[in-house]
Amino acid sequence: MTVTIRTLTRRSSGRESVRATEVDKTQLVIGRATDCDINLPDLLVALRHARLIVSSTSFVVEAEGDNEFKFNGRVVRRAQAQFGEAAALQFGPYRLTFVAPMGRLTIDVERIEQARTEIPDPDKTFSLRGTWLSKRTTSYVFATLVAVLFLAFPIFTYATHSTQSPISSGRISLQKVKAGEMWSSGKLAGPHQRLARDCTSCHQDAFVSVRDQACLQCHDTIKHHADATRLAKADTPRTPFGSGLRLVAETFDKPAGRCADCHMEHNGSEGVSPTSQASCTSCHDGMSKRLPDAKVIDASDFGRNHPDFHPTIVETPDADAPKFTRVSLTDLDKARKAREQLASQTPQRSCAGFAVGQPNFRGIVHDGGDLPAEARVGDNSGLVFPHALHLDEKGCVAALAQQVTRQAAATTGLSKGPNYGKKLVCEDCHTRDERNVGYKPVEMEKNCSACHSLVFNTGAGGLRTLRHGYTSEVIAALLDFYQARVVSDATRPAMAPEARRRPGEATVQRAVAARETAFANAGGRASNRVQAIFSEGGACYGCHVITPPATPGGIDYRVQPVTLRDSFLPHGVFDHGAHEPGELTCDDCHNASTSRTSADVLMPHVQTCQSCHGGEHATALVQSSCVMCHGFHSTDPAAPVMKPVTTARRQQGATGSMGGASR
Amino acid sequence: MARAGTHVERRRDAKHESFLRHRDYFYLKVALVLCGAFVGVYLFTHPQPRHNGGTWLGYTLGTISALLIVWLTMLGLRKRAITPGAWSLKGWTSAHIYLGLSLIVLATLHTGFQFGWNVHTLAYALMMFVIGSGLFGIYFYATIPSLMSDNRAEKSNLQMLEEIAALDSDLRTAAQPLNEANARLVQNAIDNTKIGGGVLTRLRTTHPRCATARALDELKAVAKAQPRNLGGDGLAQVNSLLDRKMVLLDRARRHIRYRALLELWLYVHVPVTFALLAALVAHIVSVFFMW
């Protein structure tokens, strides 16, 4: 049988060329080897891939070994076809089409798949652009993620934030998802921490700086330091740089003088209560130039530039509306020296003489008409109290104190009664307050009455005591007592009208006469008692300035009101407790032992403080910024001063009382 | 001629002065002065209650840093337009690097060393991450281009691939006489030798699954086992072709690895920069929103 093998080659130009060979065999070899009858030069074809066996009616293709080929699209190892049937076989890239009319076989050989010689895209091959990595996609994804999570989401929670408690509201809230904390620039201070998740409690409007109204929602009782316009004037920037900063701040809606100007949040415990000297000196350094009418003296640093103290003293004592004034300690000291000069000219006589014979400047404003003007400057408390007398170790007060101690010990035991040592010391009369910072106001009943007894009678029926502070009651009580006593005297047996006296009736008549005289004189005698108590040598006169009766011989005595200050420096706090650990004694600061009158203000000069305390940046001394002593939120002397940070903890809940006026 | 002359001159410039050394470290000096000045101001001012982003210095540093970040990002646009001179791309790159590094100081001073789990520290952390990835970039750009140049032996990317393709074509012809097993190895080497591949493959220095390497190994073993006088079956020629292909493959792959190193940091640098820009916007908006 003659088999015609037609090899078709397609040129790139599209032209087809056919090369035909004829083989006269019944068995043909198909393979890559050059000696094959049908040579298929491709590595996918085996050297001897298959055999073709041709008979008269059919032809069979059998693969050699493990080889396979495709027959009419199926992978087979053997294929058989009848003449007259169409058959297409594929070996690797070659298609063999069997055209077999009866008695004649033609095989068309055509390469249908060209060898792959394409060159990969160099850019994709060499650059990472050929991998899954993408800068663009990841950029979009990252940026979107961040923008959604950290920008859109917090704004959404802000916009949908309900005014009711975030804890109770069921929907997405700042509380639950902490969107607010995402934006928080730092921890809040102390009690503000509970607001941490509720940004709107302070940041009430978007893009509007925190206003004072937000602060005043809670801090509604806070006192203002000064009028806002005056504050702004005092805080006028002094340098072009400062003015520039102010301008920028105002341009960006941060007006000066807001609470938040000083109280800076989101810095943890720092900042919310400003402690730096600069917070104060931004106004008070050279403030007199900017606010000429300000009563406060300039200060810039406690160690280098702080005025001497100007104690607030009583100008006019009054139970209800005492008047105060501020006087420089220098003037006060001058007056004290003048008084001491006058006192030294008069020889001291006795215990009583101290108070009576010597000039003791009783009520120097009212009674000191004969004193020179410079000696009259002093605290006009209305009380006569010579510290020197009470602290004198050899004087009558010391002796009395010892006696009181002995008596008290005899009756109530040493542990209960007053226990004065050889002489009185400050603590015998002055008691530290609960906060261990200052001293309680001195009270007659608690602090003086152990010696200054107001008992006026110890007769039958118990002690009779005058009620301190109530002048009219005192007068009434004395009158009542002494008048009543005449009656009781009259009922004594010696004076009784029915007493038997047979022999010599004269006695009875005398007694009757005496009784009548006693009744007649009762009013006068009682008045005498009242006069005695309010006059020189009397119980009230010793300590009080007495306004004598309007008419001579009358008894409408009045006691000048007493106003005792518990602080001479109401704008500052001196922590006495904090000064105990050292070797300091009261006398180191308060020169009390030579003070003859309560007009003396026993305050130390600022230099005394400066011997230990320097400014905020002091190196050798205790670093002391303004707030160690001064508060900010009060200028009203009758109002509690906002306590400085250093003692705030101890003072929590307590309010300092001012002007402890006596009744 | 004159034009050719300037061209040569410029080429010489490019060769002798790296982007780091540009204009005698001009931008390094600018960055150092900038950082030194602000460190000085930071140390010698005492804002109340403490240094943070909200003081005048903090806002100043923040504004400068934010503008710097935006400007640094502009390199991505700028690099697509190559111009010569003081504002050449190289100058721009040099400024990008040194001013970018100065952000480490400026932005840190801006924070006042206050950090927390919030958008502000997020922006800072992303910025530091971008700068960190940039440092890798500096290192690779300073070391790799010369290696690449040595490796590619003045051949273009396309030339390298064309050479390999040509060898494949030769192999196809040369392998015709080989027996089935050997021919399959060669065919496999032609069809399945991967140049490039995944990210990790590109970074690898060895490619143990390379079809060409395998074919070469096995066919060499076959050739060794064969008696010497049977040289006419083309095995030796195939092996020599495979050998040459292997050399070209190694070179191409090294080139790919270098390119990957040179590019990979940018796949971090650029997307994180965009995250940073978003965080920066969130940071600034949040500050003014909660003013």
Side-chain angles (χ1 to χ4, degrees):
Chain A
M1 166 100 36
T2 305
V3 178
T4 310
I5 301 163
R6 301 198 307 167
T7 307
L8 280 75
T9 313
R10 255 181 245 276
R11 303 278 173 209
S12 54
S13 59
R15 232 183 58 201
E16 249 178 48
S17 69
V18 180
R19 185 167 52 87
T21 48
E22 289 192 348
V23 183
D24 195 14
K25 283 182 179 173
T26 53
Q27 274 204 21
L28 289 87
V29 181
I30 304 169
R32 170 160 45 88
T34 43
D35 57 346
C36 288
D37 299 307
I38 301 174
N39 174 224
L40 305 175
D42 189 277
L43 296 180
L44 291 175
V45 182
L47 282 172
R48 289 172 201 288
H49 203 100
R51 268 181 307 144
L52 168 66
I53 303 152
V54 185
S55 66
S56 55
T57 57
S58 65
F59 53 90
V60 179
V61 180
E62 283 178 351
E64 298 273 356
D66 295 338
N67 299 332
E68 288 170 336
F69 58 91
K70 277 186 189 169
F71 173 55
N72 290 341
R74 286 184 297 120
V75 178
V76 294
R77 292 177 41 74
R78 186 175 186 280
Q80 185 170 6
Q82 304 293 322
F83 276 86
E85 283 178 28
L89 281 75
Q90 194 177 334
F91 295 83
Y94 290 94
R95 184 173 62 198
L96 275 62
T97 313
F98 287 71
V99 186
M102 278 303 165
R104 184 173 178 80
L105 178 61
T106 305
I107 303 171
D108 285 348
V109 178
E110 187 185 4
R111 185 165 187 131
I112 52 169
E113 289 168 20
Q114 290 306 311
R116 195 170 59 84
T117 51
E118 66 199 46
I119 296 162
D121 178 1
D123 194 41
K124 282 187 176 170
T125 308
F126 288 100
S127 163
L128 284 176
R129 272 194 288 274
T131 66
W132 57 268
L133 283 176
S134 162
K135 281 185 279 218
R136 190 170 298 235
T137 312
T138 34
S139 294
Y140 286 148
V141 170
F142 281 17
T144 309
L145 264 178
V146 170
V148 166
L149 266 175
F150 294 95
L151 187 62
F153 178 52
I155 291 176
F156 171 76
T157 54
Y158 177 87
T160 56
H161 177 64
S162 68
T163 47
Q164 70 183 117
S165 166
I167 299 164
S168 61
S169 82
R171 55 193 197 160
I172 299 173
S173 67
L174 293 169
Q175 173 82 18
K176 282 185 179 165
V177 293
K178 301 188 176 183
E181 287 181 16
M182 273 183 200
W183 275 11
S184 172
S185 62
K187 276 206 171 116
L188 294 170
H192 286 170
Q193 272 169 20
R194 67 191 182 86
L195 304 172
R197 288 170 188 175
D198 190 9
C199 312
T200 50
S201 55
C202 300
H203 302 275
Q204 293 180 334
D205 294 304
F207 300 106
V208 175
S209 64
V210 175
R211 293 297 204 266
D212 292 355
Q213 68 198 36
C215 311
L216 295 174
Q217 282 180 321
C218 298
H219 302 272
D220 53 344
T221 57
I222 206 86
K223 295 280 190 299
H224 291 288
H225 186 69
D227 175 66
T229 49
R230 285 176 68 76
L231 270 179
K233 212 172 165 192
D235 197 22
T236 311
R238 269 103 77 191
T239 58
F241 182 68
S243 306
L245 288 184
R246 175 69 61 85
L247 183 70
V248 171
E250 279 167 2
T251 309
F252 284 89
D253 186 37
K254 291 238 171 174
R258 295 170 308 128
C259 303
D261 259 7
C262 295
H263 301 283
M264 296 179 195
E265 257 301 358
H266 292 288
N267 289 295
S269 57
E270 288 177 273
V272 74
S273 302
T275 55
S276 79
Q277 193 166 287
S279 316
C280 304
T281 57
S282 65
C283 289
H284 284 274
D285 185 8
M287 192 172 75
S288 54
K289 284 180 206 144
R290 298 182 295 281
L291 275 184
D293 59 330
K295 290 173 187 152
V296 187
I297 304 169
D298 295 346
S300 61
D301 181 277
F302 186 71
R304 287 182 281 105
N305 178 23
H306 188 283
D308 197 4
F309 300 131
H310 283 60
T312 300
I313 57 170
V314 182
E315 191 178 21
T316 315
D318 189 85
D320 301 318
K323 279 187 186 159
F324 300 96
T325 182
R326 288 186 73 175
V327 180
S328 87
L329 208 48
T330 319
D331 290 347
L332 286 166
D333 268 12
K334 239 185 254 171
R336 181 176 172 178
K337 278 208 182 92
R339 289 192 291 268
E340 277 167 7
Q341 181 74 25
L342 285 168
S344 65
Q345 289 162 7
T346 316
Q348 190 174 334
R349 288 201 311 259
S350 65
C351 185
F354 196 97
V356 180
Q358 289 201 321
N360 57 49
F361 322 111
R362 304 169 54 83
I364 52 170
V365 173
H366 294 297
D367 297 356
D370 54 338
L371 283 178
E374 76 266 18
R376 258 188 270 168
V377 181
D379 187 33
N380 186 22
S381 63
L383 191 74
V384 177
F385 185 82
H387 272 95
L389 177 68
H390 286 80
L391 293 170
D392 184 8
E393 115 184 68
K394 288 172 188 153
C396 51
V397 174
L400 179 60
Q402 288 171 33
Q403 190 190 328
V404 167
T405 307
R406 278 196 301 276
Q407 280 177 357
T411 53
T412 60
L414 204 57
S415 59
K416 286 182 183 167
N419 180 18
Y420 306 114
K422 282 187 176 171
K423 62 157 195 159
L424 289 184
V425 292
C426 307
E427 288 81 8
D428 288 334
C429 306
H430 295 282
T431 321
R432 193 68 64 77
D433 61 19
E434 286 79 7
R435 293 172 281 128
N436 199 28
V437 170
Y439 284 86
K440 290 178 182 169
V442 171
E443 288 178 44
M444 161 67 187
E445 290 82 354
K446 280 185 191 161
N447 307 108
C448 311
S449 63
C451 299
H452 294 273
S453 169
L454 292 182
V455 172
F456 67 93
N457 189 278
T458 54
L463 302 175
R464 270 83 168 173
T465 310
L466 295 174
R467 193 173 173 205
H468 183 251
Y470 295 84
T471 315
S472 51
E473 275 186 40
V474 164
I475 295 170
L478 285 170
L479 290 176
D480 288 352
F481 179 81
Y482 285 108
Q483 283 173 2
R485 191 160 155 185
V486 173
V487 177
S488 69
D489 280 355
T491 58
R492 278 186 306 182
M495 306 260 290
E498 59 277 32
R500 289 204 311 158
R501 180 75 179 150
R502 297 284 171 200
E505 284 290 309
T507 316
V508 174
Q509 281 166 4
R510 268 205 307 278
V512 169
R515 205 163 62 218
E516 279 167 3
T517 314
F519 281 129
N521 293 341
R525 284 179 62 188
S527 297
N528 287 347
R529 291 290 186 165
V530 172
Q531 281 160 358
I533 237 169
F534 285 108
S535 304
E536 197 169 328
C540 302
Y541 185 88
C543 306
H544 289 283
V545 179
I546 309 295
T547 308
T551 53
I555 54 164
D556 52 337
Y557 287 94
R558 277 183 296 119
V559 173
Q560 182 178 312
V562 170
T563 300
L564 288 181
R565 304 194 48 80
D566 65 348
S567 169
F568 286 107
L569 301 175
H571 294 302
V573 166
F574 179 82
D575 191 341
H576 284 87
H579 288 76
E580 268 171 343
E583 300 284 304
L584 282 176
T585 65
C586 304
D587 242 13
D588 288 333
C589 300
H590 305 287
N591 185 7
S593 54
T594 61
S595 169
R596 292 166 172 274
T597 165
S598 51
D600 296 345
V601 174
L602 308 179
M603 285 290 304
H605 286 273
V606 72
Q607 289 83 357
T608 309
C609 307
Q610 285 167 335
S611 61
C612 294
H613 290 269
E616 189 179 57
H617 305 295
T619 46
L621 299 168
V622 179
Q623 293 184 338
S624 316
S625 86
C626 311
V627 294
M628 188 178 261
C629 304
H630 295 289
F632 179 83
H633 280 288
S634 176
T635 52
D636 177 4
V641 175
M642 187 89 171
K643 300 299 182 198
V645 175
T646 46
T647 48
R649 202 169 43 253
R650 273 187 272 169
Q651 293 171 0
Q652 255 169 18
T655 52
S657 71
M658 291 283 305
S662 80
R663 292 167 298 210
Chain B
M1 277 304 285
R3 286 181 66 182
T6 52
H7 181 67
V8 169
E9 189 61 31
R10 211 172 282 152
R11 273 183 63 96
R12 197 189 295 153
D13 277 355
K15 201 167 186 184
H16 285 289
E17 193 183 57
S18 78
F19 56 91
L20 294 174
R21 205 182 288 259
H22 177 75
R23 281 178 71 193
D24 199 17
Y25 296 105
F26 175 73
Y27 291 106
L28 172 63
K29 290 169 190 167
V30 170
L32 285 176
V33 167
L34 197 65
C35 292
F38 276 107
V39 167
V41 176
Y42 188 92
L43 291 179
F44 289 104
T45 55
H46 303 282
Q48 293 306 320
R50 54 167 293 163
H51 279 294
N52 60 34
T55 65
W56 68 264
L57 178 62
Y59 284 126
T60 308
L61 283 164
T63 308
I64 291 175
S65 301
L67 291 175
L68 256 180
I69 287 172
V70 172
W71 178 80
L72 292 165
T73 316
M74 290 295 137
L75 181 71
L77 300 176
R78 175 64 184 78
K79 72 174 182 185
R80 290 169 169 82
I82 297 165
T83 55
W87 290 101
S88 65
L89 183 58
K90 200 207 291 175
W92 196 287
T93 309
S94 189
H96 179 92
I97 287 163
Y98 290 119
L99 296 179
L101 286 173
S102 77
L103 272 178
I104 296 174
V105 174
L106 299 182
T108 305
L109 293 182
H110 170 64
T111 68
F113 298 94
Q114 275 184 322
F115 302 106
W117 296 104
N118 52 45
V119 67
H120 317 288
T121 300
L122 173 76
Y124 177 79
L126 288 172
M127 186 204 73
M128 293 304 270
F129 195 81
V130 170
I131 295 173
S133 66
L135 282 170
F136 277 95
I138 295 171
Y139 172 73
F140 288 132
Y141 265 92
T143 53
I144 292 202
S146 63
L147 294 174
M148 271 179 108
S149 169
D150 292 348
N151 177 58
R152 72 192 303 166
E154 310 250 325
K155 293 235 163 56
S156 75
N157 290 352
L158 184 62
Q159 278 173 324
M160 281 194 258
L161 294 177
E162 279 173 346
E163 280 182 344
I164 291 168
L167 277 177
D168 278 344
S169 187
D170 290 352
L171 271 172
R172 211 172 265 126
T173 314
Q176 291 300 324
L178 298 192
N179 65 25
E180 269 64 60
N182 296 347
R184 217 171 285 132
L185 282 169
V186 174
Q187 184 67 42
N188 193 36
I190 293 166
D191 289 346
N192 299 324
T193 299
K194 277 182 191 147
I195 315 172
V199 181
L200 291 177
T201 311
R202 284 165 189 253
L203 290 171
R204 265 189 215 118
T205 48
T206 57
H207 298 81
R209 284 188 195 170
C210 170
T212 304
R214 198 180 137 214
L216 184 60
D217 281 352
E218 294 196 11
L219 291 181
K220 266 185 180 165
V222 171
K224 219 175 184 181
Q226 260 180 6
R228 286 195 175 243
N229 51 1
L230 283 176
D233 62 354
L235 196 55
Q237 199 198 345
V238 166
N239 277 348
S240 122
L241 285 170
L242 282 172
D243 248 340
R244 278 177 57 203
K245 187 181 173 187
M246 210 55 233
V247 170
L248 293 181
L249 274 176
D250 279 347
R251 176 194 288 171
R253 281 172 180 156
R254 224 174 294 131
H255 191 73
I256 285 166
R257 180 164 168 271
Y258 290 148
R259 274 290 290 268
L261 288 176
L262 216 48
E263 288 177 0
L264 192 60
W265 67 275
L266 260 177
Y267 283 83
V268 176
H269 195 72
V270 171
V272 181
T273 296
F274 276 85
L276 163 62
L277 285 178
L280 194 64
V281 169
H283 161 64
I284 294 167
V285 167
S286 76
V287 166
F288 285 97
F289 197 99
M290 298 294 175
W291 195 215

